[in-house]
Amino acid sequence: MVFYDDPVFASFATHATVVLLKMMLMGPITGFYRFSRKAFSNPEDCMGNKEEAKKSLRTDASVERVRRCHQNDIENILPFLGVGLLYALSGPDPWIALLHFRVFLASRIVHTIAYLAPLPQPTRAIAYLLGVLSTFSMAVAVMRLRIFV
């Protein structure tokens, strides 16, 4: 494929795939937490007799923590995909592009570990900010090309 001849695009595709897989894993992790803590949000998901089902229809702090982590992934990975694609196609220096992609990927992995463990702040905040700054830096680089003007 032509795009994979470009090392920057190939690197972007690899990093994007990894963060998408990480984001997709959050769904099964949420399901695991729901089942292990018997905390469901929909009546049809509850198992057992009616009394047990009523007890299972509740929120749980651990389940909500996983859901917030997943929501944060959605809010950060989707912009990375769009901005990163434009950046990869803009002809950046391969070393700098790889640095952006690696920082973003590492930030999302550390953010997830810090959220689910949970690790003390500012670990999660720093991981979040590094990812946002990486995406923002790529956006600025694309905008400096003035391809939209």
Side-chain angles (χ1 to χ4, degrees):
M1 185 169 216
V2 175
F3 286 123
Y4 280 94
D5 292 337
D6 177 3
V8 173
F9 184 80
S11 178
F12 169 72
T14 301
H15 288 79
T17 300
V18 173
V19 293
L20 283 170
L21 288 171
K22 185 227 121 5
M23 185 172 72
M24 290 169 58
L25 279 173
M26 296 306 294
I29 292 170
T30 304
F32 170 79
Y33 273 74
R34 284 196 183 284
F35 279 97
S36 66
R37 284 149 177 84
K38 294 186 171 93
F40 301 99
S41 57
N42 301 305
E44 64 272 15
D45 297 336
C46 301
M47 295 180 247
N49 63 41
K50 288 194 182 218
E51 282 303 310
E52 287 179 27
K54 282 183 184 179
K55 290 178 187 175
S56 296
L57 194 59
R58 63 185 179 85
T59 59
D60 177 83
S62 297
V63 173
E64 292 306 308
R65 178 173 281 280
V66 175
R67 291 182 70 235
R68 287 190 305 273
C69 184
H70 192 185
Q71 181 65 38
N72 192 277
D73 273 352
I74 293 166
E75 293 168 358
N76 288 275
I77 291 172
L78 293 179
F80 167 78
L81 295 175
V83 170
L85 177 62
L86 294 173
Y87 178 72
L89 297 175
S90 73
D93 177 274
W95 188 87
I96 294 173
L98 184 60
L99 180 64
H100 279 98
F101 303 152
R102 284 182 177 171
V103 165
F104 184 82
L105 174 60
S107 76
R108 294 316 304 168
I109 291 170
V110 171
H111 181 271
T112 298
I113 292 167
Y115 219 132
L116 299 184
L119 298 179
Q121 285 287 24
T123 308
R124 190 176 82 234
I126 291 170
Y128 166 80
L129 285 173
L130 286 173
V132 168
L133 289 173
S134 176
T135 302
F136 186 76
S137 175
M138 290 186 293
V140 168
V142 170
M143 294 304 290
R144 291 182 71 194
L145 294 173
R146 298 178 184 231
I147 59 174
F148 299 113
V149 179

